[in-house]
Amino acid sequence: MCGIVGYIGNKDCVRFLVDGLKRVEYRGYDSAGILIYRKNTAEHFLVKNVGKIIELEKSISSNLSGNIGIAHTRWATHGEPNHKNSHPHVSNDGNIFLVHNGIIENYTSLKKKLEKTGFTFYSETDTEILVNLIQHYYKGDIEKAVKEALLDVKGTYGIGVFCLNEPDKLIAARLGSPLLIGIGKNENYFASDPSSVLKKTSEVVYMQDREIAVITKDSVVHKTLDDELLEKSIEKISFELTDIEKSGYDHFMLKEIFEQPKTITDSMRGRLLLEEGTTKLGGLNEHPEIYNSLINADKIYIVACGTSWHSALIGEYMLEEYAKIPVEVEYASEFRYRDPIITPKTVVIAISQSGETADTLAAIKEAKRKGAVVLGICNVVGSSISKETDAGVYLHAGPEIGVASTKAFTSQVIVLALITIDIARRKHLSFRQGYKIVKELKILPALVESILENSAVIKEIAKKFSSAKNFLYLGRGYNFPVALEGALKLKEISYIHAEGYPAAEMKHGPIALIDENMPVIFIAIKDTIYDKVITNIKEVKARNGVVISIASYGDEEIDLISDYVIKIPDTTNLLSPILTVIPLQLLAYYIAVEKGYNVDMPRNLAKSVTVE
Ligand code: G6P
């Protein structure tokens, strides 16, 4: 969603700010803006544009330069994407400029209060109210005014502030919306995402909630909103520039699909104990009391959104079958507003790639309020969800930039399998069974590689079906959530309507849709319910449906009853989603490319949904 970048130093910062915004383009936005201050002439320049950053670049004159600046990409929440609603926003007196991520919930009452004292508002945004609230408190000390204003605010924010009267500093503050300070030499930066500063520095200080930072070119002072000085440690960004570049691929999504043999390996690194037929997870073992709550839980809720919710469903099948703990998977947005029953032995697991999804964060807070132990499975190190949970496991899949999640999904499934095996082995799972699964995990990256090597077959199928209007995805057991995920991938990037269903459930409704124009994708691997899936395929064929099957190598029967077959290797049941999802990711990708869509930035979607 929205992105923030800021710079203070001696060099010209226009390029840095624009490039910094481009790094967070993938998160989704609909307008962008930049404020630049030139020290030697004491001039400032404000440029805003609706649409892509490239449009903003076109509006920036080639001789624009300056050594202090704040920049923003906006994803509209209050007011449509237009020039006046874009950031940076400026106070009525023209002295203070603000970029803001998040939502000010009490903006109506603040607006009324400010209107009574003579303020006028030109946009529909909550941000314009905040910048004027800062002006309201401003008596010659911008740091003090920002603090006072923020104490009045209810909601979430990550902000960057520049004041013309005090042009030697920038102010940053955070509550519930990520912000970090980049440490440079004779210059400093701030950003909502580490990728925006990585070209300049890998040394960063992550801000926490209710913290404020006063940033000059030579210093950064961290305080709480109550004026308590803080000693903050400098951390290294955990990834490299190549991780956030396309590295020769046409799209980030394709790069991330093809990276999966590596990312799966990274998610398992140091966590497999083959000799003991089990697994270990540092993030849980380091907190034995919390981990014991999970091992001895009599009920687990898994809360998540989007693709993470699909991996949660696979986790439900795994944990119930192997760890024998009842599991309920909830959309985070539903969990927080109903009244889930939390007993002393209930544990909540939150799954999130970004670690910033607002609904998942809110569900965690609700679970904690009710006394549950909450564990996190996140990809982004240091994210809000990783901080908010009692303990957790990182995916170590590296930055995921394509809006349609791919490598994070397979890593989530891996981590859920690792947790399941460890718990199951502590209970009843035999060494022999544990050993077999861990052995399968070890060869999984090579199996994924072999599917990727076959991508040309999938590309051909994609070409044939790119003009279809509807798709049905069917699977059973562990591969029912994969059917949901396959359909979601297609919807997200190709805008084709697609539905995922448990294969047998097809008879209770979707079968009415089937005709010769309806491609039906079956996940029909050789598992315990293979014969049932074959029956479902025959039901579709009997109604002239077009069947594309994801099937096991060596299965010849399936060739006779399917129109197209994508063959994949076999693995053990709980790991099969990692193999079956790969062709579905590729199919969605190639169909979207065939249709000429911007795969990495699909319309209306955001990579990280930080509003409820
Ligand atoms: C957005 C993204 C999805 C993602 C979902 C949950 O909708 O477009 O790809 O699955 O958010 O995000 P999270 O970061 O919590 O996994």
Side-chain angles (χ1 to χ4, degrees):
M1 291 193 130
C2 309
I4 287 181
V5 195
Y7 174 96
I8 184 160
N10 293 324
K11 297 192 189 128
D12 176 27
C13 62
V14 177
R15 197 64 258 159
F16 166 73
L17 292 173
V18 171
D19 287 347
L21 289 185
K22 282 190 176 165
R23 292 281 183 202
V24 288
E25 268 195 302
Y26 72 94
R27 286 172 161 259
Y29 68 103
D30 38 47
S31 53
I34 187 168
L35 171 87
I36 296 290
Y37 181 79
R38 195 183 286 155
K39 262 193 285 192
N40 55 355
T41 58
E43 285 174 284
H44 68 280
F45 310 88
L46 182 62
V47 189
K48 303 183 191 188
N49 246 102
V50 178
K52 296 288 171 208
I53 293 169
I54 191 133
E55 302 303 324
L56 179 74
E57 274 184 296
K58 283 184 202 155
S59 311
I60 296 175
S61 93
S62 57
N63 55 11
L64 175 66
S65 65
N67 8 54
I68 299 172
I70 55 177
H72 189 261
T73 46
R74 173 173 186 260
W75 191 85
T77 55
H78 293 70
E80 62 178 80
N82 60 26
H83 188 274
K84 65 178 172 23
N85 287 337
S86 314
H87 304 211
H89 281 277
V90 58
S91 57
N92 276 189
D93 63 0
N95 182 34
I96 301 164
F97 294 84
L98 172 70
V99 287
H100 165 223
N101 290 351
I103 289 183
I104 310 294
E105 285 165 7
N106 58 336
Y107 76 100
T108 319
S109 60
L110 292 173
K111 187 175 181 185
K112 277 192 192 133
K113 177 175 146 184
L114 290 170
E115 272 168 345
K116 275 189 195 143
T117 60
F119 281 91
T120 310
F121 296 95
Y122 303 94
S123 78
E124 297 149 87
T125 66
D126 49 348
T127 306
E128 196 191 9
I129 290 153
L130 180 55
V131 75
N132 283 304
L133 189 64
I134 298 172
Q135 182 198 318
H136 171 73
Y137 284 114
Y138 187 68
K139 308 271 178 305
D141 182 345
I142 188 64
E143 178 191 337
K144 196 159 175 277
V146 170
K147 275 189 225 149
E148 286 177 347
L150 292 180
L151 289 173
D152 285 354
V153 160
K154 289 201 178 70
T156 55
Y157 53 80
I159 57 166
V161 183
F162 174 71
C163 175
L164 285 176
N165 281 355
E166 300 173 61
D168 56 340
K169 64 180 80 152
L170 291 170
I171 309 285
R174 124 162 218 172
L175 175 62
S177 197
L179 211 55
L180 58 94
I181 313 293
I183 309 297
K185 212 162 177 258
N186 301 322
E187 57 186 28
N188 288 308
Y189 332 93
F190 64 76
S192 50
D193 190 303
S195 58
S196 294
V197 300
L198 189 57
K199 215 166 185 176
K200 287 272 191 185
T201 184
S202 60
E203 297 201 326
V204 292
V205 177
Y206 290 98
M207 294 185 72
Q208 298 308 321
D209 284 352
R210 296 188 177 75
E211 285 182 12
I212 182 165
V214 182
I215 309 155
T216 69
K217 69 179 177 53
D218 310 303
S219 68
V220 184
V221 178
H222 293 272
K223 294 179 183 172
T224 64
L225 277 190
D226 306 320
D227 228 13
E228 195 188 317
L229 265 178
L230 295 168
E231 288 272 334
K232 303 269 300 178
S233 48
I234 297 180
E235 295 179 43
K236 278 242 172 279
I237 296 177
S238 59
F239 51 88
E240 318 218 327
L241 262 185
T242 48
D243 293 326
I244 51 171
E245 279 168 354
K246 281 193 213 150
S247 312
Y249 285 93
D250 289 343
H251 296 98
F252 281 109
M253 183 180 174
L254 189 64
K255 179 189 176 206
E256 286 157 7
I257 292 173
F258 273 82
E259 258 174 14
Q260 288 176 105
K262 177 177 179 297
T263 51
I264 289 169
T265 307
D266 290 346
S267 300
M268 297 192 292
R269 197 179 304 285
R271 293 169 167 175
L272 301 184
L273 302 176
L274 183 63
E275 298 308 305
E276 294 166 45
T278 190
T279 61
K280 70 161 197 272
L281 292 139
L284 297 179
N285 293 330
E286 280 159 19
H287 299 92
E289 238 179 77
I290 291 164
Y291 195 20
N292 276 333
S293 308
L294 178 67
I295 295 163
N296 300 314
D298 58 14
K299 167 84 181 267
I300 298 173
Y301 280 107
I302 312 184
V303 294
C305 304
T307 288
S308 299
W309 186 80
H310 294 155
S311 71
L313 287 176
I314 297 170
E316 176 182 1
Y317 282 78
M318 288 176 178
L319 285 160
E320 293 203 340
E321 180 174 356
Y322 288 90
K324 304 289 178 209
I325 306 173
V327 179
E328 197 169 332
V329 176
E330 289 262 4
Y331 286 113
S333 54
E334 289 298 313
F335 179 88
R336 65 162 306 205
Y337 284 116
R338 62 184 202 86
D339 211 359
I341 296 164
I342 307 272
T343 68
K345 292 191 86 178
T346 304
V347 172
V348 174
I349 301 177
I351 306 181
S352 173
Q353 186 285 129
S354 63
E356 302 296 343
T357 302
D359 282 323
T360 311
L361 254 174
I364 292 169
K365 287 181 184 157
E366 183 60 21
K368 284 173 88 175
R369 197 172 295 126
K370 290 188 155 67
V373 165
V374 186
L375 302 172
I377 297 177
C378 283
N379 193 32
V380 177
V381 177
S383 56
S384 302
I385 290 178
S386 69
K387 295 251 150 67
E388 194 65 44
T389 42
D390 298 309
V393 183
Y394 281 122
L395 303 181
H396 297 307
E400 188 178 67
I401 293 177
V403 166
S405 183
T406 52
K407 64 176 183 174
F409 175 78
T410 43
S411 286
Q412 287 165 347
V413 177
I414 288 284
V415 165
L416 285 160
L418 299 181
I419 296 174
T420 302
I421 296 157
D422 187 24
I423 298 177
R425 283 285 287 125
R426 287 165 192 256
K427 293 182 165 177
H428 56 86
L429 193 76
S430 68
F431 166 77
R432 196 178 51 80
Q433 289 167 302
Y435 183 89
K436 189 171 164 251
I437 301 171
V438 176
K439 222 170 152 209
E440 287 291 332
L441 278 165
K442 282 203 168 234
I443 59 165
L444 212 50
L447 301 183
V448 171
E449 191 73 66
S450 72
I451 301 172
L452 294 169
E453 281 165 9
N454 240 343
S455 63
V457 175
I458 301 164
K459 199 173 180 173
E460 277 311 305
I461 297 176
K463 274 190 189 147
K464 292 203 169 75
F465 290 98
S466 62
S467 52
K469 298 275 178 278
N470 297 288
F471 271 78
L472 194 57
Y473 286 70
L474 301 173
R476 297 178 79 133
Y478 282 95
N479 285 298
F480 155 54
V482 176
L484 297 180
E485 176 60 8
L488 178 67
K489 287 290 85 84
L490 190 71
K491 275 184 273 206
E492 284 178 313
I493 57 171
S494 74
Y495 319 140
I496 296 175
H497 171 247
E499 293 210 45
Y501 254 83
E505 193 61 22
M506 171 193 69
K507 291 192 289 292
H508 302 284
I511 200 164
L513 301 171
I514 290 168
D515 62 14
E516 64 282 2
N517 299 316
M518 172 72 115
V520 185
I521 311 238
F522 272 97
I523 303 162
I525 52 168
K526 283 260 182 187
D527 56 11
T528 46
I529 38 182
Y530 171 76
D531 291 338
K532 305 275 177 207
V533 179
I534 293 296
T535 309
N536 299 141
I537 294 179
K538 288 181 179 160
E539 286 158 2
V540 170
K541 281 313 298 170
R543 287 155 185 89
N544 295 326
V546 185
V547 170
I548 304 165
S549 295
I550 314 293
S552 304
Y553 281 133
D555 179 358
E556 284 165 13
E557 184 186 350
I558 201 111
D559 298 339
L560 306 174
I561 54 170
S562 311
D563 297 281
Y564 299 89
V565 183
I566 301 166
K567 295 271 172 79
I568 62 168
D570 277 330
T571 182
T572 188
N573 63 351
L574 81 164
L575 303 179
S576 67
I578 291 169
L579 301 184
T580 52
V581 80
I582 307 283
L584 304 188
Q585 295 170 344
L586 285 167
L587 188 69
Y589 172 80
Y590 287 126
I591 289 180
V593 169
E594 191 64 25
K595 291 175 85 76
Y597 293 135
N598 184 345
V599 174
D600 286 333
M601 279 179 268
R603 69 183 180 208
N604 304 338
L605 295 180
K607 180 69 188 158
S608 163
V609 179
T610 51
V611 294
E612 290 174 37

